[in-house]
Amino acid sequence: MFLMKSREKQKTITRTLRISGDLDNLLEKDSKDKRISTNSLISSILTKYAEWDRYIEKVGFISLPRDGFKLIISSMDEQEIRMVAEEVGSRQPKNS
C-alpha cells in the first residue's frame, strides 16, 4: 500500500496535465480558503486517492455523512448494534 511520509522529504516529479478552467478556478479558490498552495491541495487530493479511495472502491465501501451514520446508530438498540458489528466483522478478511 502506498503511504505518504509527510515529515520526510521525498523526491518529487513534475507532471503536466490539462484541466478545465472551472476546475482550475475551484482548486485555486479552495487552496486560498485552506491557506495552502494549489500544488499542496492537488497533492493531498492525489494522496487521499492513492491511500484510501482506490481501495474502498474495490471492497464496496460507501461514504456516509456523519449525521446520517449517527441517525442510523441512534435508531438501534445496543443488542442490534452488537449483532450488526459482529456480522460485518465476520465478513472482513483477517490480517495474516
Side-chain angles (χ1 to χ4, degrees):
M1 183 146 115
F2 173 83
L3 295 174
M4 286 291 292
K5 295 178 179 145
S6 59
R7 297 185 188 246
E8 291 181 24
K9 194 76 168 168
Q10 292 191 354
K11 180 182 176 194
T12 61
I13 306 294
T14 300
R15 180 168 297 269
T16 304
L17 61 135
R18 294 183 187 276
I19 59 174
S20 71
D22 290 341
L23 180 55
D24 184 60
N25 291 335
L26 177 69
L27 292 168
E28 289 284 335
K29 180 192 175 303
D30 285 358
S31 64
K32 283 181 184 176
D33 291 346
K34 293 175 185 271
R35 295 187 171 125
I36 60 174
S37 70
T38 305
N39 186 71
S40 291
L41 177 61
I42 293 169
S43 182
S44 69
I45 291 167
L46 292 173
T47 299
K48 180 180 176 281
Y49 168 78
E51 292 180 352
W52 181 251
D53 292 345
R54 68 191 190 120
Y55 296 107
I56 66 170
E57 291 173 2
K58 291 178 184 177
V59 294
F61 280 29
I62 61 166
S63 295
L64 183 67
R66 182 174 284 129
D67 289 343
F69 182 71
K70 286 179 181 178
L71 183 62
I72 292 169
I73 294 298
S74 68
S75 70
M76 301 169 70
D77 64 34
E78 190 173 325
Q79 184 177 358
E80 289 173 311
I81 294 171
R82 182 176 289 116
M83 183 181 70
V84 169
E86 288 173 356
E87 177 66 24
V88 170
S90 71
R91 294 179 184 191
Q92 301 306 309
K94 306 282 188 261
N95 288 340
S96 43

